[in-house]
Amino acid sequence: PMLRIDTDTLLLSRPTRSFDVRLTAATLGEGARPRLTHLALAGSRGRPAAADPDVLAPISPLPVPERAQGDYPNGGVLCSPTSLSMVLNHFRWPGDMPEVQQGVYDPEYAGTGNWTFNAAYAGSRPGLRSTVARLGSAGELMPWLNAGVPPILSVSLDLLKGKEKDNGGGHLVVLVGFDANGDPIMNDPAWRGAVRRTYKRADFERAWAFSKHTVYLVWPEDRPVPSL
């Protein structure tokens, strides 16, 4: 087939230059029809970008609350809602992790890792805007951090830890800053206790390329942010 949908990603058998998008709004019962506030499409050519050659300036860690996915039942598969709950709480949205978990759950996928469901849930909170994006390089993360917005990154946990190959699939972490060596400082929900971790930049580059540089971006709608 020319295309198929893999949970949250449209996969094409050959490159295309344009898309026609049709959106149908419907209710599941009585009530007002949903109101569209934001629509975004993120594309990729299917090949990870080369490592960013730019120097990453130090950025002091943003004060993002730390949460470990293992603190919750069935926590081994809850990296996405745990990361999202950290960012929502950073912006003083008072949702606890189980509430976020319920809000992003995809019954068809039978899990909470659907990228678009996570972004849609965050964007449905009053006063917040959210999107899934694919950035070109690590340098494009810096303006978001400088704007006070901690990106949620889709990575390979194995590659992030410096292993030679990925054996466990995707993982979500919250980027909160960069140290003086350009190494990323993250809230990694895979750890218990000390969630705040600093990883080697080379390992981070490989790990993030695993998802073709995918991020969730969540920010207050009245805050100036970089253009995408």
Side-chain angles (χ1 to χ4, degrees):
M2 181 179 175
L3 60 85
R4 65 184 178 90
I5 297 177
D6 183 4
T7 305
D8 49 18
T9 306
L10 176 66
L11 302 175
L12 303 178
S13 60
R14 61 177 183 267
T16 186
R17 293 182 179 274
S18 63
F19 293 93
D20 290 327
V21 179
R22 182 174 63 185
L23 183 70
T24 302
T27 63
L28 299 179
E30 295 183 0
R33 178 172 295 182
R35 183 172 63 91
L36 179 66
T37 59
H38 180 65
L39 175 64
L41 299 176
S44 169
R45 295 182 178 179
R47 299 186 300 274
D52 180 10
D54 298 333
V55 174
L56 297 178
I59 298 177
S60 297
L62 297 175
V64 179
E66 299 179 36
R67 289 180 174 171
Q69 65 195 73
D71 290 342
Y72 305 96
N74 198 30
V77 294
L78 298 179
C79 58
S80 187
T82 306
S83 294
L84 184 58
S85 73
M86 288 190 260
V87 172
L88 291 176
N89 275 253
H90 172 65
F91 293 124
R92 307 192 186 284
W93 180 259
D96 60 15
M97 207 296 290
E99 179 182 347
V100 175
Q101 177 186 353
Q102 182 179 14
V104 304
Y105 183 78
D106 177 357
E108 186 70 24
Y109 171 63
T112 57
N114 185 316
W115 293 337
T116 50
F117 275 39
N118 278 260
Y121 176 81
S124 71
R125 305 304 89 188
L128 293 182
R129 181 65 59 86
S130 180
T131 192
V132 178
R134 279 182 164 153
L135 304 184
S137 67
E140 293 183 26
L141 295 166
M142 295 179 62
W144 290 91
L145 289 171
N146 286 326
V149 176
I152 301 172
L153 310 182
S154 178
V155 299
S156 160
L157 183 58
D158 286 333
L159 299 181
L160 190 63
K161 291 180 176 180
K163 296 182 179 180
E164 288 298 317
K165 62 179 181 179
D166 173 82
N167 295 303
H171 181 54
L172 279 299
V173 295
V174 182
L175 179 69
V176 298
F178 288 104
D179 71 8
N181 297 317
D183 293 332
I185 306 168
M186 299 178 177
N187 282 10
D188 185 347
W191 298 91
R192 286 206 180 196
V195 171
R196 183 69 51 86
R197 299 278 167 163
T198 300
Y199 290 101
K200 294 180 180 178
R201 179 178 176 183
D203 294 335
F204 157 63
E205 293 279 8
R206 294 177 60 234
W208 191 32
F210 181 80
S211 72
K212 301 180 178 65
H213 295 168
T214 298
V215 296
Y216 309 163
L217 297 167
V218 182
W219 67 95
E221 60 185 5
D222 60 354
R223 177 172 302 194
V225 295
S227 60
L228 289 169

